[in-house]
Amino acid sequence: MRWLIPGLLGALVLVARPALAEADLERGKALYATCATCHGADAGGNVALQAPRLNHLREVYLVEQLGKFRSGLRGAEGASVQARQMAPMAATLPDEQALLDVAFYIASLDSAVPEGTVEGDVAMGADYYNQFCGACHGPTAEGNVALNSPALAGSDDWYLMAQLKAFRDGSRGAVAGDRTGRQMRAMAAVLPSEQALADVIAFIQSQAEASE
Ligand code: HEC
Ligand code: HEC
């Protein structure tokens, strides 16, 4: 089955890549077979492998991150073990069209909202979130395509913690040319303590349950 990309995403992709206006879900499904060994058949993630849930993310963000893993903006030297594991997986995708096909297939899947594992103060977290995060990631952590900011609600909370720490220590977002990673690094740095990370994640987790 072939899908036309709807709405704003279509406009963005059409401007950026005129040849990639359509995704082939059948091909995406075949390509996803490799990915499923870590991310799960329903893209619900696998904590034992530190492979995060994917199907709450929008196609445009999936394509962009896969592109970063392929180009070395993410998962190269200096990155976490997990990100360096993911980079060669993205490299197995044969062409640019394959990124789109697999992204649309992933977004078409459905999995349960992950259980919370991070303990934090939701009210404190809401304060931090509204002050520092909501302008880009949206008031309910639903993401904002125009600002390249992914949905955070629906993510595994252990993965959010790992990524915030990675942005803070420079193992993600510090490579020259990673414009959006750099933007997010600056924001991760404003949280005052490890406890603040846990609090903001607890707030995000509370939004996931509300939105699905
Ligand atoms: C060997 C296990 C493994 C396989 C196979 C694998 N991944 Fe991953 N993937 C990971 C891990 C681990 C991470 C977390 C990386 C990090 O912590 O930065 C990840 C992260 C990602 C991310 C980033 C998500 C985000 O929120 O930023 C995307 C997108 C992704 N994988 C897609 C894929 C696709 C598509 C495939 C198949 C082509 C695939 N993965 C195959 C282990 C795997
Ligand atoms: C200026 C806009 C902006 C603000 C403010 C912002 N972010 Fe981000 N965030 C981004 C962008 C852009 C990305 C995607 C980075 C990339 O492409 O690698 C991102 C990515 C992330 C990720 C990685 C998600 C994933 O699936 O890999 C997390 C976690 C995150 N942000 C949390 C936060 C938190 C918590 C705050 C508040 C302390 C915050 N962000 C504030 C723009 C922002």
Side-chain angles (χ1 to χ4, degrees), residues 32-98:
Y32 187 74
T34 316
C35 322
T37 59
C38 290
H39 291 283
D42 60 1
N46 183 332
V47 63
L49 301 174
Q50 296 285 293
R53 186 182 196 220
L54 299 173
N55 61 6
H56 61 292
L57 296 167
R58 290 191 183 82
E59 295 88 341
V60 67
Y61 179 76
L62 292 167
V63 168
E64 191 175 305
Q65 295 305 308
L66 289 169
K68 285 191 180 194
F69 282 116
R70 283 159 72 90
S71 70
L73 290 183
R74 210 178 151 185
E77 209 186 318
S80 67
V81 173
Q82 289 76 20
R84 279 184 283 129
Q85 231 169 25
M86 177 52 213
M89 298 302 135
T92 66
L93 295 169
D95 49 48
E96 290 262 306
Q97 179 69 41

Short mmCIF file of all heavy atoms in Angstrom, two decimals, residues 32-98:
data_model
loop_
_atom_site.label_atom_id
_atom_site.label_comp_id
_atom_site.label_asym_id
_atom_site.label_seq_id
_atom_site.Cartn_x
_atom_site.Cartn_y
_atom_site.Cartn_z
N TYR A 32 11.80 -3.24 8.35
CA TYR A 32 11.70 -3.18 9.81
C TYR A 32 12.02 -4.52 10.49
O TYR A 32 12.31 -4.55 11.68
CB TYR A 32 10.31 -2.69 10.25
CG TYR A 32 10.24 -2.47 11.74
CD1 TYR A 32 10.87 -1.37 12.32
CD2 TYR A 32 9.61 -3.38 12.58
CE1 TYR A 32 10.88 -1.19 13.69
CE2 TYR A 32 9.60 -3.20 13.96
CZ TYR A 32 10.24 -2.09 14.50
OH TYR A 32 10.26 -1.92 15.86
N ALA A 33 12.04 -5.62 9.73
CA ALA A 33 12.31 -6.94 10.33
C ALA A 33 13.61 -6.92 11.14
O ALA A 33 13.68 -7.47 12.25
CB ALA A 33 12.37 -8.01 9.25
N THR A 34 14.65 -6.27 10.64
CA THR A 34 15.93 -6.17 11.37
C THR A 34 15.74 -5.36 12.65
O THR A 34 16.25 -5.72 13.71
CB THR A 34 16.98 -5.42 10.53
OG1 THR A 34 16.92 -5.90 9.21
CG2 THR A 34 18.36 -5.55 11.11
N CYS A 35 15.04 -4.28 12.56
CA CYS A 35 14.85 -3.35 13.67
C CYS A 35 14.08 -4.02 14.80
O CYS A 35 14.32 -3.75 15.99
CB CYS A 35 14.07 -2.12 13.22
SG CYS A 35 14.49 -1.55 11.55
N ALA A 36 13.13 -4.90 14.41
CA ALA A 36 12.22 -5.53 15.39
C ALA A 36 12.99 -6.34 16.42
O ALA A 36 12.54 -6.47 17.56
CB ALA A 36 11.21 -6.41 14.66
N THR A 37 14.17 -6.88 16.05
CA THR A 37 14.93 -7.70 17.00
C THR A 37 15.30 -6.89 18.24
O THR A 37 15.42 -7.46 19.32
CB THR A 37 16.21 -8.30 16.36
OG1 THR A 37 17.02 -7.23 15.89
CG2 THR A 37 15.85 -9.22 15.20
N CYS A 38 15.49 -5.61 18.11
CA CYS A 38 15.77 -4.77 19.29
C CYS A 38 14.57 -3.94 19.73
O CYS A 38 14.26 -3.88 20.91
CB CYS A 38 16.95 -3.84 19.02
SG CYS A 38 18.54 -4.70 18.90
N HIS A 39 13.88 -3.29 18.78
CA HIS A 39 12.82 -2.35 19.17
C HIS A 39 11.46 -3.04 19.38
O HIS A 39 10.52 -2.38 19.81
CB HIS A 39 12.68 -1.24 18.12
CG HIS A 39 13.86 -0.30 18.09
ND1 HIS A 39 14.04 0.69 19.03
CD2 HIS A 39 14.92 -0.23 17.26
CE1 HIS A 39 15.18 1.36 18.76
NE2 HIS A 39 15.72 0.81 17.69
N GLY A 40 11.38 -4.35 19.04
CA GLY A 40 10.12 -5.08 19.21
C GLY A 40 9.25 -5.01 17.96
O GLY A 40 9.28 -4.03 17.22
N ALA A 41 8.46 -6.07 17.74
CA ALA A 41 7.62 -6.16 16.53
C ALA A 41 6.62 -5.01 16.46
O ALA A 41 6.25 -4.55 15.37
CB ALA A 41 6.90 -7.49 16.51
N ASP A 42 6.17 -4.50 17.62
CA ASP A 42 5.21 -3.40 17.64
C ASP A 42 5.90 -2.05 17.89
O ASP A 42 5.24 -1.05 18.15
CB ASP A 42 4.13 -3.65 18.71
CG ASP A 42 4.72 -3.77 20.13
OD1 ASP A 42 5.97 -3.63 20.29
OD2 ASP A 42 3.95 -4.00 21.07
N ALA A 43 7.25 -2.05 17.85
CA ALA A 43 8.05 -0.84 18.10
C ALA A 43 7.83 -0.28 19.51
O ALA A 43 8.01 0.90 19.75
CB ALA A 43 7.82 0.25 17.04
N GLY A 44 7.45 -1.19 20.42
CA GLY A 44 7.20 -0.80 21.80
C GLY A 44 8.45 -0.69 22.65
O GLY A 44 8.38 -0.30 23.81
N GLY A 45 9.62 -1.06 22.09
CA GLY A 45 10.89 -0.91 22.81
C GLY A 45 11.25 -2.15 23.62
O GLY A 45 10.43 -3.07 23.78
N ASN A 46 12.52 -2.17 24.09
CA ASN A 46 13.02 -3.30 24.86
C ASN A 46 14.05 -2.78 25.85
O ASN A 46 15.17 -2.45 25.47
CB ASN A 46 13.64 -4.33 23.91
CG ASN A 46 14.13 -5.57 24.63
OD1 ASN A 46 14.49 -5.52 25.81
ND2 ASN A 46 14.13 -6.69 23.93
N VAL A 47 13.65 -2.68 27.11
CA VAL A 47 14.52 -2.06 28.11
C VAL A 47 15.80 -2.87 28.31
O VAL A 47 16.87 -2.31 28.52
CB VAL A 47 13.76 -1.81 29.44
CG1 VAL A 47 13.29 -3.11 30.07
CG2 VAL A 47 14.62 -1.02 30.42
N ALA A 48 15.70 -4.20 28.20
CA ALA A 48 16.89 -5.03 28.42
C ALA A 48 17.99 -4.70 27.41
O ALA A 48 19.16 -4.82 27.70
CB ALA A 48 16.52 -6.51 28.35
N LEU A 49 17.57 -4.29 26.21
CA LEU A 49 18.53 -3.92 25.16
C LEU A 49 18.74 -2.41 25.08
O LEU A 49 19.45 -1.93 24.20
CB LEU A 49 18.05 -4.45 23.80
CG LEU A 49 17.86 -5.97 23.72
CD1 LEU A 49 17.23 -6.38 22.38
CD2 LEU A 49 19.19 -6.68 23.91
N GLN A 50 18.05 -1.66 25.96
CA GLN A 50 18.13 -0.19 25.94
C GLN A 50 17.69 0.37 24.59
O GLN A 50 18.16 1.42 24.16
CB GLN A 50 19.53 0.30 26.30
CG GLN A 50 19.95 -0.07 27.72
CD GLN A 50 19.28 0.80 28.76
OE1 GLN A 50 19.53 1.99 28.85
NE2 GLN A 50 18.39 0.22 29.54
N ALA A 51 16.83 -0.37 23.90
CA ALA A 51 16.28 0.08 22.61
C ALA A 51 14.91 0.70 22.88
O ALA A 51 14.01 0.02 23.38
CB ALA A 51 16.17 -1.09 21.64
N PRO A 52 14.74 1.98 22.59
CA PRO A 52 13.52 2.67 23.03
C PRO A 52 12.29 2.37 22.18
O PRO A 52 12.40 1.93 21.04
CB PRO A 52 13.90 4.14 22.87
CG PRO A 52 14.89 4.16 21.74
CD PRO A 52 15.67 2.88 21.91
N ARG A 53 11.13 2.66 22.77
CA ARG A 53 9.88 2.69 22.01
C ARG A 53 10.02 3.72 20.89
O ARG A 53 10.63 4.78 21.08
CB ARG A 53 8.75 3.13 22.94
CG ARG A 53 7.36 3.06 22.32
CD ARG A 53 6.31 3.56 23.30
NE ARG A 53 4.97 3.18 22.92
CZ ARG A 53 3.91 3.99 23.02
NH1 ARG A 53 4.05 5.23 23.50
NH2 ARG A 53 2.71 3.56 22.68
N LEU A 54 9.41 3.43 19.74
CA LEU A 54 9.53 4.33 18.59
C LEU A 54 8.19 4.81 18.05
O LEU A 54 8.12 5.85 17.37
CB LEU A 54 10.27 3.62 17.43
CG LEU A 54 11.71 3.16 17.70
CD1 LEU A 54 12.21 2.34 16.51
CD2 LEU A 54 12.62 4.35 17.97
N ASN A 55 7.11 4.08 18.28
CA ASN A 55 5.92 4.35 17.46
C ASN A 55 5.08 5.55 17.92
O ASN A 55 4.12 5.92 17.26
CB ASN A 55 5.05 3.10 17.28
CG ASN A 55 4.54 2.58 18.59
OD1 ASN A 55 4.72 3.19 19.64
ND2 ASN A 55 3.90 1.43 18.54
N HIS A 56 5.51 6.23 19.00
CA HIS A 56 4.86 7.50 19.37
C HIS A 56 5.50 8.67 18.61
O HIS A 56 5.02 9.79 18.71
CB HIS A 56 5.00 7.74 20.87
CG HIS A 56 6.42 7.85 21.30
ND1 HIS A 56 7.28 6.77 21.27
CD2 HIS A 56 7.16 8.90 21.71
CE1 HIS A 56 8.49 7.16 21.65
NE2 HIS A 56 8.44 8.44 21.92
N LEU A 57 6.59 8.40 17.91
CA LEU A 57 7.32 9.49 17.23
C LEU A 57 6.78 9.73 15.83
O LEU A 57 6.32 8.81 15.16
CB LEU A 57 8.81 9.13 17.15
CG LEU A 57 9.52 9.01 18.51
CD1 LEU A 57 10.88 8.34 18.37
CD2 LEU A 57 9.66 10.38 19.17
N ARG A 58 6.84 10.99 15.40
CA ARG A 58 6.36 11.31 14.06
C ARG A 58 7.37 10.89 13.00
O ARG A 58 8.57 10.86 13.25
CB ARG A 58 6.11 12.81 13.93
CG ARG A 58 4.91 13.27 14.75
CD ARG A 58 4.51 14.69 14.40
NE ARG A 58 3.40 15.09 15.25
CZ ARG A 58 3.56 15.55 16.51
NH1 ARG A 58 4.77 15.68 17.03
NH2 ARG A 58 2.51 15.88 17.23
N GLU A 59 6.85 10.63 11.81
CA GLU A 59 7.69 10.15 10.70
C GLU A 59 8.87 11.08 10.45
O GLU A 59 9.99 10.64 10.23
CB GLU A 59 6.85 10.04 9.42
CG GLU A 59 5.73 9.00 9.47
CD GLU A 59 4.43 9.55 10.04
OE1 GLU A 59 4.43 10.60 10.73
OE2 GLU A 59 3.38 8.90 9.81
N VAL A 60 8.59 12.39 10.46
CA VAL A 60 9.62 13.35 10.09
C VAL A 60 10.80 13.29 11.07
O VAL A 60 11.96 13.40 10.68
CB VAL A 60 9.02 14.78 9.96
CG1 VAL A 60 8.55 15.32 11.29
CG2 VAL A 60 9.99 15.73 9.31
N TYR A 61 10.50 13.06 12.35
CA TYR A 61 11.57 12.96 13.36
C TYR A 61 12.34 11.64 13.20
O TYR A 61 13.57 11.62 13.31
CB TYR A 61 10.98 13.07 14.78
CG TYR A 61 12.03 12.95 15.87
CD1 TYR A 61 12.89 13.99 16.16
CD2 TYR A 61 12.17 11.76 16.59
CE1 TYR A 61 13.86 13.87 17.15
CE2 TYR A 61 13.14 11.63 17.57
CZ TYR A 61 13.99 12.68 17.85
OH TYR A 61 14.96 12.56 18.82
N LEU A 62 11.61 10.56 12.93
CA LEU A 62 12.28 9.26 12.72
C LEU A 62 13.26 9.37 11.54
O LEU A 62 14.41 8.93 11.64
CB LEU A 62 11.24 8.16 12.46
CG LEU A 62 10.34 7.80 13.64
CD1 LEU A 62 9.16 6.95 13.18
CD2 LEU A 62 11.12 7.06 14.72
N VAL A 63 12.79 9.96 10.45
CA VAL A 63 13.66 10.11 9.27
C VAL A 63 14.89 10.94 9.62
O VAL A 63 16.02 10.60 9.27
CB VAL A 63 12.88 10.75 8.09
CG1 VAL A 63 13.82 11.18 6.97
CG2 VAL A 63 11.83 9.79 7.56
N GLU A 64 14.66 12.02 10.36
CA GLU A 64 15.78 12.90 10.69
C GLU A 64 16.81 12.19 11.57
O GLU A 64 18.02 12.31 11.35
CB GLU A 64 15.24 14.13 11.42
CG GLU A 64 16.28 15.22 11.58
CD GLU A 64 15.68 16.46 12.20
OE1 GLU A 64 14.68 16.97 11.66
OE2 GLU A 64 16.21 16.89 13.23
N GLN A 65 16.35 11.45 12.57
CA GLN A 65 17.29 10.77 13.46
C GLN A 65 18.02 9.65 12.73
O GLN A 65 19.21 9.45 12.93
CB GLN A 65 16.57 10.24 14.71
CG GLN A 65 16.01 11.35 15.59
CD GLN A 65 17.05 12.38 16.01
OE1 GLN A 65 18.10 12.04 16.52
NE2 GLN A 65 16.77 13.66 15.78
N LEU A 66 17.30 8.92 11.88
CA LEU A 66 17.98 7.87 11.10
C LEU A 66 19.06 8.50 10.23
O LEU A 66 20.16 7.97 10.10
CB LEU A 66 16.96 7.08 10.26
CG LEU A 66 16.04 6.17 11.08
CD1 LEU A 66 14.90 5.63 10.22
CD2 LEU A 66 16.82 5.01 11.71
N GLY A 67 18.74 9.66 9.65
CA GLY A 67 19.74 10.38 8.86
C GLY A 67 20.94 10.78 9.70
O GLY A 67 22.09 10.67 9.25
N LYS A 68 20.69 11.21 10.95
CA LYS A 68 21.81 11.58 11.84
C LYS A 68 22.68 10.39 12.16
O LYS A 68 23.91 10.50 12.22
CB LYS A 68 21.29 12.19 13.14
CG LYS A 68 20.77 13.60 12.98
CD LYS A 68 20.52 14.23 14.34
CE LYS A 68 20.00 15.65 14.18
NZ LYS A 68 20.06 16.42 15.42
N PHE A 69 22.06 9.23 12.42
CA PHE A 69 22.85 8.03 12.70
C PHE A 69 23.69 7.65 11.47
O PHE A 69 24.81 7.19 11.59
CB PHE A 69 21.95 6.85 13.09
CG PHE A 69 21.43 6.89 14.51
CD1 PHE A 69 20.08 7.02 14.79
CD2 PHE A 69 22.32 6.78 15.59
CE1 PHE A 69 19.60 7.03 16.10
CE2 PHE A 69 21.85 6.79 16.91
CZ PHE A 69 20.49 6.92 17.16
N ARG A 70 23.13 7.86 10.28
CA ARG A 70 23.87 7.48 9.06
C ARG A 70 25.03 8.43 8.79
O ARG A 70 26.07 8.03 8.29
CB ARG A 70 22.91 7.48 7.86
CG ARG A 70 22.04 6.24 7.83
CD ARG A 70 20.80 6.47 7.01
NE ARG A 70 21.05 6.53 5.58
CZ ARG A 70 21.02 5.49 4.77
NH1 ARG A 70 20.81 4.27 5.27
NH2 ARG A 70 21.20 5.62 3.48
N SER A 71 24.85 9.71 9.11
CA SER A 71 25.88 10.69 8.75
C SER A 71 26.91 10.87 9.85
O SER A 71 27.90 11.57 9.65
CB SER A 71 25.21 12.03 8.46
OG SER A 71 24.73 12.59 9.67
N GLY A 72 26.68 10.27 11.03
CA GLY A 72 27.65 10.40 12.12
C GLY A 72 27.37 11.57 13.05
O GLY A 72 28.13 11.82 13.98
N LEU A 73 26.26 12.30 12.82
CA LEU A 73 25.89 13.34 13.78
C LEU A 73 25.43 12.71 15.09
O LEU A 73 25.49 13.32 16.15
CB LEU A 73 24.78 14.23 13.23
CG LEU A 73 25.15 15.17 12.07
CD1 LEU A 73 23.97 16.03 11.69
CD2 LEU A 73 26.35 16.03 12.44
N ARG A 74 24.98 11.47 15.01
CA ARG A 74 24.58 10.73 16.21
C ARG A 74 25.22 9.34 16.13
O ARG A 74 25.25 8.74 15.04
CB ARG A 74 23.05 10.63 16.24
CG ARG A 74 22.48 10.56 17.62
CD ARG A 74 20.96 10.52 17.68
NE ARG A 74 20.57 9.80 18.87
CZ ARG A 74 19.34 9.49 19.20
NH1 ARG A 74 18.34 9.84 18.41
NH2 ARG A 74 19.09 8.82 20.31
N GLY A 75 25.73 8.84 17.24
CA GLY A 75 26.21 7.45 17.28
C GLY A 75 27.62 7.25 16.78
O GLY A 75 28.04 6.12 16.54
N ALA A 76 28.38 8.33 16.62
CA ALA A 76 29.78 8.19 16.19
C ALA A 76 30.68 8.15 17.43
O ALA A 76 30.20 8.01 18.56
CB ALA A 76 30.16 9.34 15.26
N GLU A 77 31.97 8.31 17.23
CA GLU A 77 32.93 8.30 18.34
C GLU A 77 32.50 9.34 19.39
O GLU A 77 32.09 10.43 19.04
CB GLU A 77 34.30 8.65 17.79
CG GLU A 77 35.44 8.05 18.56
CD GLU A 77 36.78 8.56 18.03
OE1 GLU A 77 36.93 8.66 16.79
OE2 GLU A 77 37.63 8.89 18.88
N GLY A 78 32.63 8.97 20.66
CA GLY A 78 32.23 9.90 21.72
C GLY A 78 30.78 9.72 22.15
O GLY A 78 30.36 10.25 23.17
N ALA A 79 29.99 8.99 21.36
CA ALA A 79 28.59 8.75 21.70
C ALA A 79 28.49 7.56 22.66
O ALA A 79 29.46 6.83 22.87
CB ALA A 79 27.78 8.49 20.44
N SER A 80 27.30 7.36 23.23
CA SER A 80 27.09 6.25 24.17
C SER A 80 27.21 4.92 23.44
O SER A 80 27.07 4.84 22.21
CB SER A 80 25.68 6.36 24.78
OG SER A 80 24.70 6.13 23.77
N VAL A 81 27.43 3.86 24.21
CA VAL A 81 27.47 2.50 23.65
C VAL A 81 26.19 2.23 22.86
O VAL A 81 26.23 1.67 21.76
CB VAL A 81 27.60 1.47 24.81
CG1 VAL A 81 27.47 0.05 24.29
CG2 VAL A 81 28.91 1.67 25.55
N GLN A 82 25.05 2.65 23.43
CA GLN A 82 23.77 2.36 22.78
C GLN A 82 23.67 3.07 21.43
O GLN A 82 23.23 2.49 20.45
CB GLN A 82 22.60 2.80 23.67
CG GLN A 82 22.39 1.97 24.92
CD GLN A 82 23.41 2.26 26.01
OE1 GLN A 82 24.07 3.30 26.02
NE2 GLN A 82 23.56 1.33 26.94
N ALA A 83 24.06 4.32 21.39
CA ALA A 83 23.96 5.07 20.13
C ALA A 83 24.93 4.50 19.11
O ALA A 83 24.63 4.45 17.91
CB ALA A 83 24.26 6.55 20.39
N ARG A 84 26.09 4.01 19.58
CA ARG A 84 27.05 3.43 18.64
C ARG A 84 26.58 2.07 18.15
O ARG A 84 26.98 1.61 17.09
CB ARG A 84 28.45 3.34 19.28
CG ARG A 84 29.15 4.72 19.19
CD ARG A 84 30.56 4.69 19.69
NE ARG A 84 30.57 4.69 21.14
CZ ARG A 84 31.25 3.83 21.90
NH1 ARG A 84 31.99 2.88 21.35
NH2 ARG A 84 31.20 3.93 23.20
N GLN A 85 25.69 1.43 18.92
CA GLN A 85 25.07 0.19 18.46
C GLN A 85 24.05 0.49 17.36
O GLN A 85 23.89 -0.28 16.42
CB GLN A 85 24.33 -0.42 19.64
CG GLN A 85 24.65 -1.85 19.91
CD GLN A 85 24.06 -2.25 21.26
OE1 GLN A 85 23.08 -1.67 21.77
NE2 GLN A 85 24.66 -3.25 21.84
N MET A 86 23.35 1.57 17.52
CA MET A 86 22.26 1.92 16.59
C MET A 86 22.81 2.41 15.24
O MET A 86 22.20 2.15 14.20
CB MET A 86 21.36 2.98 17.27
CG MET A 86 20.22 3.49 16.42
SD MET A 86 19.19 2.18 15.69
CE MET A 86 18.75 3.00 14.15
N ALA A 87 23.93 3.10 15.24
CA ALA A 87 24.41 3.71 13.99
C ALA A 87 24.60 2.70 12.85
O ALA A 87 24.10 2.94 11.73
CB ALA A 87 25.70 4.50 14.25
N PRO A 88 25.24 1.55 13.09
CA PRO A 88 25.39 0.59 11.97
C PRO A 88 24.06 0.01 11.51
O PRO A 88 23.94 -0.43 10.36
CB PRO A 88 26.31 -0.51 12.54
CG PRO A 88 26.34 -0.30 14.01
CD PRO A 88 26.00 1.13 14.29
N MET A 89 23.06 0.02 12.40
CA MET A 89 21.72 -0.47 12.01
C MET A 89 21.08 0.49 11.01
O MET A 89 20.49 0.08 10.01
CB MET A 89 20.82 -0.60 13.24
CG MET A 89 21.32 -1.58 14.25
SD MET A 89 21.49 -3.21 13.49
CE MET A 89 23.06 -3.70 14.12
N ALA A 90 21.23 1.78 11.27
CA ALA A 90 20.69 2.77 10.33
C ALA A 90 21.43 2.67 8.99
O ALA A 90 20.84 2.89 7.93
CB ALA A 90 20.84 4.18 10.92
N ALA A 91 22.71 2.30 9.08
CA ALA A 91 23.51 2.20 7.84
C ALA A 91 23.05 1.05 6.95
O ALA A 91 23.36 1.04 5.76
CB ALA A 91 24.99 2.05 8.19
N THR A 92 22.31 0.08 7.54
CA THR A 92 21.84 -1.04 6.70
C THR A 92 20.69 -0.63 5.79
O THR A 92 20.36 -1.35 4.85
CB THR A 92 21.34 -2.25 7.55
OG1 THR A 92 20.18 -1.84 8.27
CG2 THR A 92 22.42 -2.74 8.50
N LEU A 93 20.06 0.50 6.07
CA LEU A 93 18.96 0.94 5.20
C LEU A 93 19.58 1.35 3.86
O LEU A 93 20.51 2.15 3.81
CB LEU A 93 18.20 2.10 5.85
CG LEU A 93 17.48 1.72 7.16
CD1 LEU A 93 16.97 2.95 7.89
CD2 LEU A 93 16.34 0.75 6.88
N PRO A 94 19.08 0.76 2.75
CA PRO A 94 19.81 0.85 1.49
C PRO A 94 19.81 2.22 0.82
O PRO A 94 20.74 2.52 0.08
CB PRO A 94 19.11 -0.19 0.60
CG PRO A 94 17.77 -0.39 1.21
CD PRO A 94 17.93 -0.16 2.67
N ASP A 95 18.79 3.02 1.04
CA ASP A 95 18.72 4.31 0.33
C ASP A 95 17.85 5.29 1.11
O ASP A 95 17.24 4.92 2.11
CB ASP A 95 18.19 4.13 -1.10
CG ASP A 95 16.92 3.28 -1.11
OD1 ASP A 95 16.01 3.55 -0.30
OD2 ASP A 95 16.83 2.32 -1.90
N GLU A 96 17.79 6.53 0.65
CA GLU A 96 17.02 7.58 1.33
C GLU A 96 15.53 7.23 1.42
O GLU A 96 14.88 7.48 2.42
CB GLU A 96 17.16 8.91 0.57
CG GLU A 96 18.53 9.52 0.67
CD GLU A 96 18.59 10.60 1.75
OE1 GLU A 96 17.75 11.52 1.70
OE2 GLU A 96 19.45 10.48 2.63
N GLN A 97 15.01 6.65 0.34
CA GLN A 97 13.61 6.26 0.33
C GLN A 97 13.31 5.25 1.45
O GLN A 97 12.24 5.26 2.04
CB GLN A 97 13.25 5.67 -1.04
CG GLN A 97 11.80 5.21 -1.18
CD GLN A 97 10.79 6.36 -1.19
OE1 GLN A 97 11.04 7.39 -1.80
NE2 GLN A 97 9.66 6.18 -0.52
N ALA A 98 14.29 4.40 1.75
CA ALA A 98 14.11 3.37 2.79
C ALA A 98 13.87 4.01 4.16
O ALA A 98 13.13 3.47 4.98
CB ALA A 98 15.34 2.46 2.84
#
